[in-house]
Amino acid sequence: MPPRQERTNKERIEDLESQASQLGGVADGLAQLAERVDVIEMEQRNVANIADMRSEDFRATVEALQAQIGDLVAKVNVLTRAMETIGPNADPVTVSTGITYDRKCIERWIFSNKNNTCPVTKQLLSDTDLTPNHTVRRLIQAWCILNASYGVEQIPTPKLPINKAQIFKLLNDSRDPQLQMKSLQKLRSIASESESNQRCMEAAGAIEFLASVIKNDSFMAREGSSDDGFEFKRASEEALSILSCLQISAAGLKNLVGKNGEFIESLIQVLQHGNYQSRACATLLLKSMLEVADPIQLISLRSKFFVEMVHLLRDQISHQASKAALKLLIVLCPLCRNRVKAVEAGAVSVLVELLLDTLEKRACEMMLVVLDQLCGCAEGRAELLNHDAGLAVVSKRILRVSKLASESGVRILSSISKFSATSSVLQEMLQVGVVSKMCLVLQMDCSIKVKEKAQEILRSHSRAWKNSSCIPVHLLSSYPY
């Protein structure tokens, strides 16, 4: 038995050694496999890094292309908007700074708005000459042709500005009775094309000629010696229409006013006997002329001028003419003599009637401003009090139109309170709500001057008003002591 045990142990040792040898081989294989795995993982990481690098390059390239596309789209949109705003009569011109603009826009900037700088560079313009930019115009026309399939219309070649020689010829033709109407109509067409044409007309003497046509018609109407009266009337109306739409310089307007007011007299005659359109044109022209006239010329205006202004307001022939008439009265009525003339012409009564029906803010403001000026004289205050609705309509407009209207209304009532406060007037002010409105003014967000005027009105006549039942209870707390 013992020898068998020894043999078995030896075999076991051999088996163990054999297994150990096999395990050693496996370990070597595992080590080699691990090295292989490391190599594979390193290659994978390299591949991933390369892929990331290529992906970043690709992404950057795409982003750069997108940015370029965005810039191109933006430029196309800007160009499209520019083409849309240029309109069908584009006329690119270059100013002295080298910047190109559309003719109508830059003319409005320089001549209508009285600017002497380049809108882009802000540099002073050495002159106001406008040079046509034919290159830009051709580019615009080419762009329009390329985009015709998208509904873009081709821009026609603009007309060349008129020159003095052409105006001189038309003025000479206008002196021929057979060619006069045709020449005047051509002048109106030229004037409507651009402001540069209007300036050229003024420089060529068209203003003086048109005024002479109107004065001749006026003279022949006064003399009653006109076999061709109808033709003279037509020519005068056409000339007046042209003058009223021209942007005449201050020097040109002063020249029209003249020293003896002869042309103003002719326009007054148009106001007396002309049709609605001629009366409106005459009013617009008179407003421009009298805004630059000397004070002595304003004072010397005759009563019939104010009569015609009041008639024009009463007739309401046009919104534009009515506003021009109100502006004229605002310019003229600060002068004491003119206030009386306007009152005698019936201005107070007409203005009160208009205030009863007018809802437009600006018109109400101007009417109250004129009434305030007219109530600066005793005649004006008397006329306001003689009208049954005078005090009521003024009081009603306070706090309902604007701050300017409220200031004018309170000043009117202050003038009445100071200089025309009879017992009957005070009673009327109480009955139509003037006293309650003054108490309300003290509670509202009005200017200090307006509140001071309201306090002055209430304090001046507190004995007559303070204990009256006509004042609402909630307003009595505002009554000043």
Side-chain angles (χ1 to χ4, degrees):
M1 288 297 297
R4 179 64 181 171
Q5 186 71 29
E6 290 178 2
R7 188 167 46 85
T8 302
N9 289 338
K10 185 176 179 181
E11 289 176 353
R12 288 178 177 175
I13 291 171
E14 290 177 353
D15 290 339
L16 289 172
E17 289 178 349
S18 174
Q19 292 176 4
S21 176
Q22 291 176 359
L23 288 174
V26 170
D28 292 339
L30 289 173
Q32 292 177 359
L33 183 60
E35 291 178 359
R36 184 68 177 174
V37 169
D38 291 340
V39 170
I40 292 173
E41 289 178 349
M42 185 179 296
E43 290 177 351
Q44 288 178 341
R45 284 195 295 272
N46 291 337
V47 170
N49 290 335
I50 292 171
D52 290 341
M53 291 174 63
R54 290 180 178 176
S55 177
E56 290 176 0
D57 292 342
F58 180 74
R59 192 181 301 112
T61 302
V62 170
E63 290 176 353
L65 289 173
Q66 289 175 339
Q68 292 177 9
I69 293 171
D71 290 341
L72 289 173
V73 171
K75 290 178 181 178
V76 169
N77 290 337
V78 169
L79 184 58
T80 302
R81 286 195 297 271
M83 293 300 111
E84 291 172 352
T85 56
I86 283 173
N89 298 311
D91 187 5
V93 293
T94 303
V95 297
S96 58
T97 58
I99 305 298
T100 297
Y101 302 96
D102 181 65
R103 181 183 291 277
K104 286 188 177 180
C105 295
I106 194 61
E107 284 182 347
R108 191 181 306 116
W109 169 265
I110 295 173
F111 303 110
S112 298
N113 300 337
K114 309 300 182 184
N115 292 302
N116 61 350
T117 59
C118 174
V120 172
T121 65
K122 309 304 179 185
Q123 294 175 331
L124 286 174
L125 297 173
S126 58
D127 56 61
T128 56
D129 292 339
L130 304 176
T131 305
N133 192 326
H134 300 295
T135 302
V136 171
R137 176 177 54 77
R138 283 193 286 267
L139 286 172
I140 293 173
Q141 290 176 331
W143 184 90
C144 292
I145 293 171
L146 288 173
N147 291 272
S149 59
Y150 299 101
V152 178
E153 297 181 2
Q154 185 174 353
I155 297 174
T157 301
K159 296 180 181 179
L160 291 175
I162 205 75
N163 56 53
K164 285 186 180 181
Q166 294 169 294
I167 300 296
F168 287 143
K169 183 179 185 307
L170 285 172
L171 295 180
N172 287 331
D173 291 344
S174 298
R175 292 179 172 88
D176 184 343
Q178 295 181 344
L179 299 175
Q180 189 173 61
M181 278 305 300
K182 184 177 180 180
S183 299
L184 288 174
Q185 290 169 354
K186 180 62 176 176
L187 283 173
R188 182 162 69 165
S189 175
I190 290 171
S192 65
E193 288 178 0
S194 69
E195 292 184 23
S196 62
N197 286 357
Q198 295 183 18
R199 292 192 308 278
C200 182
M201 289 174 61
E202 182 173 352
I207 307 299
E208 293 79 3
F209 173 77
L210 295 170
S212 69
V213 173
I214 297 170
K215 287 190 285 187
N216 288 341
D217 175 63
S218 175
F219 174 77
M220 299 191 74
R222 286 196 304 269
E223 296 295 322
S225 57
S226 165
D227 295 333
D228 298 323
F230 179 70
E231 287 301 321
F232 275 104
K233 194 75 175 175
R234 285 184 61 206
S236 175
E237 291 172 356
E238 188 70 28
L240 181 56
S241 176
I242 298 170
L243 279 177
S244 65
C245 70
L246 291 178
Q247 298 289 332
I248 306 174
S249 65
L253 291 170
K254 286 187 176 182
N255 189 41
L256 283 178
V257 174
K259 294 181 179 180
N260 56 7
E262 181 184 357
F263 185 56
I264 292 178
E265 288 295 320
S266 298
L267 293 179
I268 292 175
Q269 190 166 342
V270 172
L271 291 172
Q272 291 174 324
H273 306 293
N275 57 31
Y276 278 179
Q277 183 179 359
S278 295
R279 291 171 67 193
C281 290
T283 305
L284 294 172
L285 184 55
L286 280 167
K287 182 186 82 69
S288 300
M289 291 167 55
L290 295 179
E291 284 176 343
V292 301
D294 297 327
I296 190 67
Q297 293 171 317
L298 301 181
I299 294 174
S300 63
L301 288 170
R302 298 168 66 181
S303 296
K304 63 181 181 180
F305 170 85
F306 293 91
V307 170
E308 293 309 319
M309 286 296 103
V310 172
H311 287 173
L312 188 137
L313 284 172
R314 181 197 61 199
D315 296 341
Q316 292 288 289
I317 61 175
S318 78
H319 184 68
Q320 190 178 16
S322 296
K323 278 196 171 182
L326 287 170
K327 289 178 181 178
L328 267 173
L329 292 176
I330 291 173
V331 170
L332 297 172
C333 288
L335 302 170
C336 295
R337 292 183 186 179
N338 289 342
R339 289 179 193 169
V340 177
K341 293 174 187 175
V343 172
E344 291 175 347
V348 173
S349 177
V350 169
L351 289 171
V352 171
E353 295 292 334
L354 290 174
L355 275 172
L356 288 170
D357 300 323
T358 302
L359 299 176
E360 189 197 353
K361 174 183 172 181
R362 183 56 183 156
C364 287
E365 289 176 343
M366 289 192 290
M367 291 174 193
L368 287 168
V369 168
V370 176
L371 274 178
D372 180 24
Q373 293 174 343
L374 298 181
C375 286
C377 65
E379 294 85 352
R381 294 189 294 272
E383 285 296 313
L384 182 70
L385 293 173
N386 286 338
H387 197 291
D388 293 338
L391 288 175
V393 72
V394 172
S395 175
K396 183 179 179 180
R397 293 300 184 182
I398 295 173
L399 300 179
R400 291 194 175 190
V401 180
S402 66
K403 288 186 177 181
L404 176 60
S406 297
E407 290 173 3
S408 300
V410 171
R411 280 198 299 268
I412 293 169
L413 297 176
S414 177
S415 296
I416 298 295
S417 171
K418 280 183 181 180
F419 305 109
S420 306
T422 63
S423 58
S424 60
V425 169
L426 293 178
Q427 186 62 27
E428 182 183 357
M429 293 175 77
L430 190 61
Q431 291 175 346
V432 300
V434 170
V435 181
S436 298
K437 183 60 69 78
M438 293 302 98
C439 292
L440 187 60
V441 165
L442 296 179
Q443 294 182 355
M444 301 300 289
D445 182 22
C446 298
S447 67
I448 295 176
K449 287 186 178 180
V450 170
K451 289 188 176 182
E452 288 176 351
K453 288 282 185 184
Q455 286 180 339
E456 182 183 353
I457 294 170
L458 294 172
R459 282 175 177 161
S460 299
H461 308 288
S462 60
R463 290 184 180 180
W465 293 336
K466 186 173 180 183
N467 297 320
S468 173
S469 59
C470 293
I471 304 177
V473 177
H474 70 280
L475 293 177
L476 278 174
S477 60
S478 298
Y479 204 103
Y481 290 91

